[in-house]
Amino acid sequence: MKDIILKAENISKQYRLGTVGTGTLSHDLNRWWHQVWGKEDPYLKIGDTNDRSTKGGSDYVWALQDINFEVERGEVLGIIGKNGAGKSTLLKILSKVTAPTTGSIKSRGRIASLLEVGTGFNGEMTGRENIFLNGAILGMTKKEIASKLDEIIDFSGCERYIDTPVKRYSSGMTVRLAFAVAAFLEPEILVIDEVLAVGDAEFQKKAIGKMQDISKGEGRTVLFVSHNMAAVKSLCTRGIVLEYGKVVFEGNTTDAINYYLITNKKTNIETTVCITDLHRKFNMSKEIEILSVSLLNPLYDNCFSTLNPIRLSFKIKFNKSIKSYRIAGSIFTIEDYKVGTFFTDENENLSDSEILNLEVTLIDHNLSKGNYYFAFSIGNGDEESGNVEYDIIYDVLNFEITHKIDLRSPINYWPNSWGNISFQSKLESINE
């Protein structure tokens, strides 16, 4: 039998843009009158989806709509989604910082929340005093807090400043102390928003390790919101994906992360990409300029078989006479891990104002099933006098490797391989 410690039923949250409450006395009276007569709130029937990138037609917006999920004791639930998807609003409702417009939260046990840097801290009080203050807010007795005090101070790494007012702490120190208080005062449910990103790498590692101990060793429940997919993958046992205030996916952590990343990458999938400065992270000389890149031979959409060669087409403009050049490419997974590189042979004697159409064929890419994207550069390839990069472009030509069988040959399966893989490649000029 499942041991459900937290249950969200039909949670929705509506806001009126730019105002507090409904914003006008007439709206408040109208809402009250409907409530007196036992009728539905008239403002629940209106409102736009929470899409921050578009201009809506209503003064009301649904930050959350019809959220339902259950969390078992000892489970670590990852909540992921783009900025504005409703993650922080959901955590505030779960922590009872704000109330839902409709629906209910049922929980068993104390809930400790770490939502924003310094939430619940009094800047005029010392770190030691804030530990006792936060413990009291969580329902702990003074004796219980005192028994954990040394562990909290040691874990936070703020011992030297523990009797200094918190207003003099850096944001990183504040997060360290706040997390230590929330973790060591033994709430049944720990709710953590994207605050660990403020801490340094060493503290993030400690914090994730502590959360694993809390969930696995002590059987307590953690709700974790982060944009760090590696942290979500290592810590969480299950994940939900929010989009425009709605749950669009719920399942195991790996599937949830893949759904989130693939959905975001697929918004800009194109077989041909015209290059703009948005694709460049650096201001390059552009003595040679990549104008466009294309995938020429996908099986369907942007999918390739494991055994299919990948043919790429480049349209390149030479703004200066160049003695020699070569094209280099890198392939990244959807999680931004580089899994392979390739280099073409050097080509020579190109004059300015010349535009070339070139093809590169990746003959033995040996990629595992998954979703990928390219980055490309053009340079002189001269290791003796120093490499010069004329143009570099990132995050283009999203594509998928599938185990769909190619009609020409049986499929073989390769294990995932991380690191640099050198691909066989061939560069051809296809100008008439």
Side-chain angles (χ1 to χ4, degrees), residues 123-130 158-169 173 177:
E124 300 298 328
M125 297 170 66
T126 65
R128 188 186 305 272
E129 290 168 339
N130 271 294
C158 300
E159 184 172 4
R160 186 171 185 179
Y161 306 98
I162 200 65
D163 292 310
T164 300
V166 168
K167 67 181 180 181
R168 296 194 175 97
Y169 285 18
M173 289 172 61
L177 187 60

Coordinates of all heavy atoms in Angstrom, one line a residue, residues 123-130 158-169 173 177:
G123 N 17.3 40.2 8.9 CA 18.6 40.7 8.6 C 19.3 41.3 9.8 O 20.5 41.3 9.9
E124 N 18.5 41.8 10.8 CA 19.1 42.5 11.9 C 19.6 41.5 13.0 O 20.4 41.8 13.9 CB 18.1 43.4 12.6 CG 17.6 44.6 11.6 CD 18.8 45.5 11.2 OE1 19.7 45.7 12.0 OE2 18.7 46.0 10.1
M125 N 19.1 40.2 12.9 CA 19.5 39.2 13.8 C 20.7 38.4 13.4 O 21.0 38.4 12.2 CB 18.3 38.2 14.1 CG 17.1 38.9 14.6 SD 15.6 37.9 14.6 CE 16.1 36.6 15.8
T126 N 21.4 37.8 14.3 CA 22.6 37.1 13.9 C 22.2 35.7 13.3 O 21.1 35.3 13.4 CB 23.5 36.8 15.2 OG1 22.8 36.0 16.1 CG2 23.9 38.1 15.9
G127 N 23.2 35.1 12.7 CA 23.0 33.7 12.2 C 22.4 32.8 13.2 O 21.5 32.0 13.0
R128 N 23.0 32.8 14.4 CA 22.6 31.9 15.5 C 21.2 32.2 15.9 O 20.4 31.3 16.1 CB 23.5 32.1 16.7 CG 23.3 31.1 17.8 CD 24.1 31.4 19.0 NE 25.6 31.6 18.7 CZ 26.4 30.6 18.7 NH1 26.0 29.4 19.0 NH2 27.7 30.8 18.4
E129 N 20.8 33.5 16.0 CA 19.4 33.8 16.4 C 18.4 33.4 15.3 O 17.3 33.0 15.6 CB 19.4 35.3 16.6 CG 20.1 35.8 17.9 CD 20.3 37.3 18.0 OE1 20.2 38.0 16.9 OE2 20.5 37.8 19.1
N130 N 18.9 33.5 14.0 CA 18.0 33.1 12.9 C 17.7 31.6 12.9 O 16.7 31.2 12.5 CB 18.5 33.6 11.6 CG 18.1 35.0 11.2 OD1 16.9 35.2 11.0 ND2 19.0 36.0 11.2
C158 N 29.6 28.6 8.1 CA 29.6 30.0 8.5 C 29.9 30.2 9.9 O 29.5 31.2 10.6 CB 28.2 30.6 8.2 SG 27.6 30.4 6.5
E159 N 30.7 29.3 10.5 CA 31.0 29.3 12.0 C 31.6 30.7 12.4 O 31.3 31.2 13.4 CB 31.9 28.2 12.4 CG 32.1 28.1 13.8 CD 32.9 26.8 14.3 OE1 33.3 26.1 13.3 OE2 33.1 26.6 15.5
R160 N 32.5 31.2 11.6 CA 33.2 32.4 12.0 C 32.3 33.6 12.1 O 32.5 34.6 12.8 CB 34.3 32.7 11.0 CG 35.2 33.9 11.4 CD 36.4 34.0 10.5 NE 37.3 35.1 11.0 CZ 38.5 35.4 10.4 NH1 38.9 34.7 9.4 NH2 39.2 36.3 10.9
Y161 N 31.2 33.6 11.3 CA 30.3 34.7 11.2 C 28.9 34.4 11.8 O 27.9 35.2 11.6 CB 30.0 35.1 9.7 CG 31.3 35.3 9.0 CD1 31.9 34.3 8.2 CD2 32.0 36.5 9.1 CE1 33.1 34.5 7.5 CE2 33.2 36.8 8.4 CZ 33.7 35.8 7.6 OH 34.9 36.0 7.0
I162 N 28.8 33.3 12.6 CA 27.5 32.9 13.1 C 26.9 33.9 14.1 O 25.7 34.0 14.2 CB 27.6 31.5 13.8 CG1 26.2 30.8 13.8 CG2 28.3 31.6 15.1 CD1 25.6 30.6 12.5
D163 N 27.7 34.8 14.7 CA 27.2 35.8 15.6 C 27.2 37.2 15.0 O 27.2 38.2 15.7 CB 28.0 35.8 16.9 CG 27.8 34.5 17.7 OD1 26.6 34.1 17.9 OD2 28.7 33.8 18.1
T164 N 27.3 37.2 13.7 CA 27.2 38.5 12.9 C 25.8 38.6 12.3 O 25.2 37.6 11.9 CB 28.3 38.4 11.8 OG1 29.6 38.3 12.3 CG2 28.2 39.7 10.9
P165 N 25.3 39.8 12.3 CA 23.9 40.0 11.7 C 23.9 39.5 10.2 O 24.8 39.7 9.4 CB 23.7 41.5 11.7 CG 24.5 42.0 12.9 CD 25.8 41.1 12.9
V166 N 22.8 38.8 9.9 CA 22.7 38.1 8.6 C 22.7 39.2 7.4 O 23.1 38.8 6.3 CB 21.4 37.3 8.5 CG1 21.0 36.9 7.1 CG2 21.5 36.1 9.4
K167 N 22.3 40.4 7.7 CA 22.3 41.4 6.6 C 23.7 41.7 6.1 O 23.9 42.2 5.0 CB 21.8 42.7 7.1 CG 22.6 43.5 8.2 CD 21.9 44.7 8.6 CE 22.8 45.5 9.7 NZ 22.1 46.7 10.2
R168 N 24.8 41.2 6.8 CA 26.2 41.4 6.3 C 26.6 40.1 5.6 O 27.8 40.1 5.2 CB 27.1 41.7 7.5 CG 26.7 43.1 8.1 CD 27.9 43.5 9.0 NE 27.6 44.9 9.5 CZ 27.0 45.2 10.7 NH1 26.7 44.2 11.5 NH2 26.8 46.4 11.0
Y169 N 25.8 39.1 5.5 CA 26.2 37.9 4.8 C 26.1 38.1 3.3 O 25.2 38.8 2.8 CB 25.2 36.7 5.1 CG 25.5 36.1 6.5 CD1 26.2 36.8 7.5 CD2 25.0 34.8 6.8 CE1 26.4 36.2 8.8 CE2 25.1 34.2 8.1 CZ 25.8 34.9 9.0 OH 26.0 34.4 10.3
M173 N 26.4 32.7 1.5 CA 26.4 32.4 2.9 C 25.0 32.3 3.5 O 24.7 31.4 4.3 CB 27.2 33.5 3.7 CG 28.7 33.5 3.5 SD 29.5 34.9 4.3 CE 29.1 34.6 6.0
L177 N 23.4 28.8 5.2 CA 22.8 28.7 6.5 C 21.3 28.3 6.4 O 20.8 27.5 7.2 CB 22.9 30.1 7.2 CG 22.5 30.1 8.7 CD1 23.3 29.1 9.5 CD2 22.6 31.5 9.3

